[in-house]
Amino acid sequence: MSPPAIIAPSILSADFAALGAACSDLMEYNAHWIHIDVMDGHFVPNITFGAPVVTKIRSHVERPSQKGGKGTFDCHMMIAELMHSPWWLALTASMIGDTNIAQPMKWVKDFKDAGCDLYCFHYEAAISSVAAREPADTKTTRKTSPREVIRYIHECGLQAGIAIKPETPVDVLWEILESEDESERPDMVLVMTVHPGFGGQKFMASELPKVKALREKYPDLNIEVDGGLSEGTIDQAADAGANVIVAGSAVFGAKDPAEVISKLREAVEKRRTGGKL
Ligand SMILES: O=C(CO)[C@@H](O)[C@H](O)COP(=O)(O)O
């Protein structure tokens, strides 16, 4: 049986002028996690917010009492690091030993201090960092691989998630999930079911074979889907094996958000218990 259903409404569709209240309401509506979309305007063509805003909303939501518990802040980091930095900045950074510049790990500590519990970075951002750093002197350049990013997130005391965009095949994840070092294995995989950047897009069922392949190999893994999830698409995602469901417009656009959250949870729970609730 796959892990329990976790409904994580995305606050991208909330009223940004009243985020604190929106988040505390979500807890009242029986959401389990809060999905926080961090966008930098480079990795995706949209900008949202950074750690200071997370700090403010944390004060409206009690911290989870256990790993993955209610109130978990699931931070989806749609941020590029080196990919869009000029090469000379990256090279200078590596020569002066500033390994904090231009690395996907750059924001982990800030987000931890702000109240993040699960730091989910994009595979594509980590890979770009490696590729862009390759030509530099390997003695002074510290390579960043997705496994290294995961280990660092764990060292900082956070759970680690790794996300893939629709363009990325699921196969890239096998060697990461198979790592012999437990600290290099992610706690969650996020399969994007839209092109990241905006809420309210159409669900891409074409991404579900990735979820299915992951679930077949990893019955206990938290597998998150994000983009276009609603009462109309949840059954397909649940059938494929997703258990962590992100929903933005479906929750915030509803007359009764609590009811939507409950229906999404029910659909996932039905699949995992073979129809018995
Ligand atoms: O990461 C993203 C978009 O990049 C998502 O979290 C969306 O915010 C989900 O919104 P809906 O598709 O549910 O409206």
Side-chain angles (χ1 to χ4, degrees):
M1 213 194 297
S2 49
I6 292 172
I7 309 304
S10 160
I11 57 170
L12 189 60
S13 296
D15 175 358
F16 276 19
L19 272 183
C23 290
S24 53
D25 285 351
L26 287 174
M27 293 292 101
E28 294 293 312
Y29 299 153
N30 220 10
H32 205 59
W33 291 2
I34 293 183
H35 184 83
I36 299 176
D37 286 310
V38 179
M39 304 185 185
D40 68 352
H42 291 286
F43 187 74
V44 287
N46 197 3
I47 297 176
T48 53
F49 43 71
V53 171
V54 177
T55 305
K56 291 290 179 197
I57 57 178
R58 183 82 265 181
S59 63
H60 293 258
V61 179
E62 217 174 288
R63 285 208 89 135
S65 54
Q66 62 196 41
K67 189 176 154 186
K70 190 173 165 82
T72 289
F73 274 11
D74 164 26
C75 294
H76 177 194
M77 308 302 293
M78 284 165 272
I79 55 172
E81 296 297 344
L82 193 64
M83 192 158 52
H84 294 279
S85 307
W87 66 269
W88 51 265
L89 173 63
L91 184 60
T92 311
S94 68
M95 287 173 76
I96 61 172
D98 187 350
T99 51
N100 269 334
I101 291 181
Q103 290 195 24
M105 290 103 129
K106 182 175 174 186
W107 299 105
V108 177
K109 284 191 173 149
D110 284 15
F111 274 78
K112 184 198 157 99
D113 293 346
C116 162
D117 305 290
L118 193 162
Y119 187 99
C120 184
F121 68 99
H122 266 268
Y123 168 84
E124 300 84 1
I127 282 300
S128 303
S129 295
V130 175
R133 290 175 87 92
E134 216 79 275
D137 177 354
T138 47
K139 283 196 196 99
T140 53
T141 303
R142 189 164 169 277
K143 282 190 187 176
T144 309
S145 71
R147 278 158 49 158
E148 196 181 345
V149 179
I150 293 167
R151 183 160 17 95
Y152 180 71
I153 295 169
H154 285 146
E155 277 165 15
C156 291
L158 294 175
Q159 293 168 77
I162 184 163
I164 52 170
K165 296 206 261 188
E167 298 79 14
T168 305
V170 70
D171 305 9
V172 301
L173 297 175
W174 304 143
E175 67 104 13
I176 300 166
L177 286 158
E178 290 302 321
S179 172
E180 278 176 19
D181 181 346
E182 199 190 335
S183 72
E184 291 182 349
R185 295 201 293 265
D187 302 283
M188 184 186 82
V189 168
L190 162 55
V191 175
M192 289 303 299
T193 44
V194 294
H195 293 285
F198 300 93
Q201 300 183 73
K202 191 170 179 291
F203 178 72
M204 293 169 71
S206 58
E207 301 313 292
L208 294 178
K210 297 178 183 175
V211 175
K212 202 160 179 283
L214 282 159
R215 180 57 72 215
E216 273 166 16
K217 268 169 133 2
Y218 302 99
D220 301 327
L221 181 67
N222 272 332
I223 303 175
E224 182 173 67
V225 282
D226 178 9
L229 272 308
S230 67
E231 287 172 63
T233 55
I234 187 64
D235 288 343
Q236 299 170 64
D239 279 344
N243 73 300
V244 185
I245 310 298
V246 176
S249 45
V251 169
F252 284 97
K255 270 207 182 98
D256 186 347
E259 193 186 8
V260 173
I261 290 169
S262 148
K263 286 194 168 152
L264 295 176
R265 176 175 295 111
E266 215 170 275
V268 177
E269 283 300 324
K270 250 193 197 153
R271 298 285 167 318
R272 64 181 283 272
T273 58
K276 290 174 235 121
L277 279 181

